[in-house]
Amino acid sequence: YVVVPCYNEEAVLHETSKQMLELFGEMKNDGLINDNSRIVFVDDGSKDKTWSIIDELTKAHTEISGIKLAKNAGHQNALFGGLMTVKDDCDCAISIDADLQDDIHIIPDMVRNFIDGYDVVYGVRNKRDTDTFFKRFTAEGFYKLLNWMGAEVVYNHADYRLISARVLKEFAGFKEVNLFLRGMIPLVGFKSTSVFYERHE
């Protein structure tokens, strides 16, 4: 399953779903996924037409499902809620933001790594050329500070990753309230690797 948290994403959902469905078709043809695979949009209490578009997409495409949260819970909670909803229905789940800045064309490589025995596959930016100096400086400082404080985080990785169902089931037992998934996932300790990509505007 691909889990996509959404907050006021009416401008991108049609294009995002189109590109994801095309990729799913290619992956089915290559034998990487089967007909039970799904794209799951999680509406995080949007104020625009996000939910009505998701509803429309679920009626038009069997590969698309939707989850509507009762209110805006925040990105990390929406993502976690989506992952916990699908954990018993999938072999693995991939999380990605709705704006497709993260390159979806590495998803087949993520799945191949999963097939090869990895439980976590991180999507990692290979460079920050499009960022301003200030953005690069603060991002690098953020990762260094977290590591200095003892948080094990993957440099240049946000929330684009594949997680196996058995890792998700371990996460179901976590009692964290203030979620920071990119810091929590390395704590679980399963076999992991990274796939590198160039981030789009």
Side-chain angles (χ1 to χ4, degrees):
Y1 280 33
V2 176
V3 177
V4 188
C6 302
Y7 180 68
N8 294 343
E9 302 288 0
E10 66 178 13
V12 299
L13 276 177
H14 286 294
E15 183 60 27
T16 298
S17 59
K18 175 175 169 284
Q19 290 190 34
M20 290 295 302
L21 287 166
E22 287 172 1
L23 181 67
F24 264 42
E26 292 167 14
M27 292 175 70
K28 283 180 190 176
N29 289 338
D30 292 340
L32 286 175
I33 60 173
N34 63 30
D35 289 335
N36 295 322
S37 297
R38 294 285 179 271
I39 303 157
V40 182
F41 292 108
V42 183
D43 179 23
D44 185 20
S46 297
K47 294 178 172 63
D48 63 0
K49 295 178 182 173
T50 293
W51 179 250
S52 62
I53 294 170
I54 293 170
D55 188 44
E56 165 196 321
L57 290 168
T58 63
K59 290 169 182 167
H61 306 281
T62 55
E63 302 95 333
I64 294 178
S65 299
I67 299 169
K68 182 172 175 57
L69 302 186
K71 63 171 189 166
N72 178 250
H75 180 273
Q76 294 289 281
N77 289 307
L79 176 53
F80 189 69
L83 293 171
M84 290 300 98
T85 301
V86 307
K87 73 182 187 318
D88 297 323
D89 300 317
C90 64
D91 296 313
C92 63
I94 295 171
S95 58
I96 188 170
D97 287 342
D99 58 17
L100 293 192
Q101 281 188 294
D102 299 314
D103 185 2
I104 64 170
H105 296 100
I106 65 163
I107 288 177
D109 291 333
M110 288 179 161
V111 174
R112 289 185 188 100
N113 276 289
F114 167 71
I115 292 167
D116 287 343
Y118 289 95
D119 282 290
V120 180
V121 184
Y122 299 104
V124 178
R125 292 176 66 174
N126 57 11
K127 55 186 174 179
R128 287 185 167 268
D129 291 353
T130 57
D131 288 352
T132 64
F133 169 78
F134 179 76
K135 174 67 175 170
R136 278 197 305 273
F137 178 77
T138 54
E140 288 170 11
F142 172 75
Y143 287 107
K144 287 176 182 172
L145 177 64
L146 282 177
N147 283 314
W148 178 78
M149 292 171 63
E152 187 182 335
V153 290
V154 177
Y155 183 69
N156 272 346
H157 164 72
D159 286 300
Y160 186 22
R161 68 181 76 86
L162 176 148
I163 313 172
S164 72
R166 68 177 186 153
V167 172
L168 291 174
K169 283 163 188 168
E170 288 295 321
F171 262 89
F174 271 55
K175 303 301 180 192
E176 297 286 341
V177 176
N178 299 309
L179 295 176
F180 180 59
L181 295 177
R182 75 182 89 162
M184 292 164 61
I185 287 168
L187 293 175
V188 184
F190 286 86
K191 187 178 179 184
S192 66
T193 189
S194 297
V195 176
F196 296 87
Y197 68 97
E198 190 170 335
R199 200 159 200 245
H200 306 306
E201 289 186 24

